[in-house]
C-alpha cells in the first residue's frame, strides 16, 4: 500500500512538472513571436477579413486604413463618438469617459433644439408627435439615429459620414453622409455603425507611413 502511495506521488509530481514545462514553452514562444513579429510583418489578422497594425490601425480588403475608437455603449454612443471626433480634430486632449459623457449630453440637447427649430424644413422621417419624440430623445440613454445625425451636422457645422463593415468581405462601406454643405471647408467626422445599433468613432484613414511613425514613437518610449 505504501509503495502504491509513493508511486501515485511520483506520478503527481511528473504531471506537475510536465504542466510547468508546457507553461514555460508557451510563454517562451509567445515572447519570441512578439519580438520577431514587428520586424517581419506589419500586420496580423483579426479573423474577419481585416488586417490590424500593431497600434490598432486596420486595413480592409480594399486597402483602406483606419482606426476604430470604441465609445461606451450607454445610449450616448453616437453623441460620444461625435464629440470625441470633434475634439480630436480641434487638437484638444483625449477625453475621459466622464467629460465625454457630459459633452455628449450637451450635444444631444443642442441637437434636439435644432430639430425643433427645423421641424418644418424636412419630412423624410415619420417621427409621430414631435413633442413626444423630442422629450423621449432628450433622455441620455435613448439611442439616436438618422434625424439626430443630420441635426448634429448642423449644430457642429461639419459633415458626418457613416460607415459599416460588410460582414461578407470585412470591407468598410460608406452608407450615408450628412452636412455635405460643409464639405468644402471641413473633412467629415466618420462614425462606424454596428448592426445592433451602436456607434463608434472611425478615425481618419492612415497611410502606411503613419503606421510606421506610430511604431517609431512607441519604440522611443523605451
Amino acid at each position: 500500500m505504501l509503495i502504491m502511495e509513493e508511486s501515485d506521488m511520483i506520478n503527481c509530481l511528473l504531471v506537475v512538472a510536465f504542466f510547468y514545462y508546457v507553461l514555460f514553452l508557451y510563454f517562451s514562444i509567445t515572447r519570441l513571436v512578439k519580438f520577431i513579429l514587428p520586424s517581419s510583418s506589419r500586420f496580423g489578422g483579426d479573423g474577419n477579413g481585416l488586417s490590424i497594425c500593431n497600434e490598432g490601425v486596420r486595413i480592409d480588403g480594399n486597402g483602406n486604413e483606419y482606426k476604430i475608437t470604441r465609445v461606451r455603449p450607454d445610449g450616448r454612443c453616437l453623441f460620444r463618438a461625435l464629440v470625441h471626433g470633434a475634439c480630436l480634430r480641434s487638437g484638444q486632449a483625449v477625453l475621459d469617459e466622464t467629460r465625454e459623457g457630459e459633452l455628449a449630453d450637451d450635444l444631444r440637447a443642442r441637437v434636439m433644439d435644432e430639430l425643433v427649430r427645423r421641424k418644418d424644413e424636412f419630412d423624410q422621417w415619420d417621427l409621430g408627435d414631435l413633442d413626444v419624440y423630442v422629450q423621449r430623445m432628450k433622455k441620455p440613454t435613448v439611442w439616436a439615429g438618422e434625424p439626430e445625425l443630420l441635426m448634429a451636422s448642423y449644430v457642429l457645422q461639419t459633415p458626418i459620414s457613416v460607415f459599416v463593415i460588410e460582414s461578407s468581405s470585412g470591407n468598410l462601406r460608406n452608407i450615408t453622409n450628412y452636412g455635405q454643405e460643409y464639405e468644402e471647408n471641413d473633412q467629415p467626422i466618420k462614425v462606424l455603425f454596428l448592426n445592433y445599433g451602436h456607434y463608434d468613432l472611425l478615425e481618419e484613414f492612415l497611410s502606411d507611413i503613419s503606421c510606421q511613425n506610430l511604431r517609431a514613437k512607441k519604440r522611443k518610449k523605451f
Side-chain angles (χ1 to χ4, degrees):
M1 185 68 179
L2 182 60
I3 295 176
M4 290 295 295
E5 290 177 352
E6 290 178 351
S7 176
D8 290 341
M9 184 178 295
I10 291 173
N11 288 336
C12 288
L13 290 173
L14 288 174
V15 169
V16 171
F18 180 76
F19 171 79
Y20 279 106
Y21 175 73
V22 171
L23 200 61
F24 170 79
L25 285 179
Y26 170 79
F27 284 108
S28 297
I29 293 172
T30 301
R31 292 187 65 182
L32 182 62
V33 169
K34 288 182 178 179
F35 177 78
I36 294 175
L37 187 59
S39 60
S40 61
S41 176
R42 285 181 60 233
F43 302 101
D46 71 347
N48 294 314
L50 302 174
S51 295
I52 305 177
C53 178
N54 290 337
E55 291 76 18
V57 178
R58 301 184 175 204
I59 298 184
D60 71 6
N62 293 326
N64 297 316
E65 300 191 23
Y66 62 95
K67 182 178 180 180
I68 299 172
T69 298
R70 305 295 184 186
V71 297
R72 188 173 181 177
D74 60 355
R76 300 177 175 91
C77 59
L78 173 59
F79 298 108
R80 282 182 179 273
L82 292 175
V83 298
H84 197 123
C87 286
L88 286 178
R89 288 174 38 169
S90 64
Q92 297 183 35
V94 176
L95 300 170
D96 60 43
E97 275 198 356
T98 300
R99 182 57 178 158
E100 183 183 84
E102 293 171 351
L103 292 177
D105 289 344
D106 178 70
L107 177 59
R108 181 191 288 267
R110 292 163 62 196
V111 163
M112 289 300 100
D113 290 343
E114 190 73 12
L115 181 62
V116 172
R117 191 175 74 82
R118 292 177 177 265
K119 62 182 180 180
D120 297 326
E121 296 183 18
F122 61 91
D123 58 1
Q124 62 264 52
W125 298 293
D126 181 13
L127 303 180
D129 187 312
L130 185 62
D131 291 336
V132 173
Y133 179 85
V134 169
Q135 288 304 313
R136 184 176 69 86
M137 284 304 305
K138 283 184 176 180
K139 298 177 181 178
T141 57
V142 177
W143 294 0
E146 286 189 88
E148 291 71 42
L149 279 161
L150 178 59
M151 295 303 111
S153 71
Y154 294 144
V155 170
L156 297 173
Q157 296 186 346
T158 189
I160 298 172
S161 295
V162 182
F163 288 77
V164 296
I165 296 178
E166 295 180 329
S167 57
S168 58
S169 64
N171 292 335
L172 277 177
R173 180 164 62 89
N174 179 208
I175 58 172
T176 189
N177 301 285
Y178 303 93
Q180 289 94 330
E181 58 267 42
Y182 304 112
E183 287 181 351
E184 184 176 346
N185 301 319
D186 217 346
Q187 291 295 314
I189 295 176
K190 304 180 181 75
V191 294
L192 180 67
F193 176 71
L194 304 178
N195 57 11
Y196 52 87
H198 179 71
Y199 290 89
D200 283 320
L201 175 64
L202 187 65
E203 292 190 40
E204 296 289 342
F205 297 111
L206 300 175
S207 67
D208 182 68
I209 295 176
S210 298
C211 193
Q212 294 175 11
N213 289 341
L214 284 171
R215 183 178 293 112
K217 290 179 181 178
K218 188 175 181 180
R219 282 200 293 263
K220 287 180 181 179
K221 294 180 181 179
F222 297 95

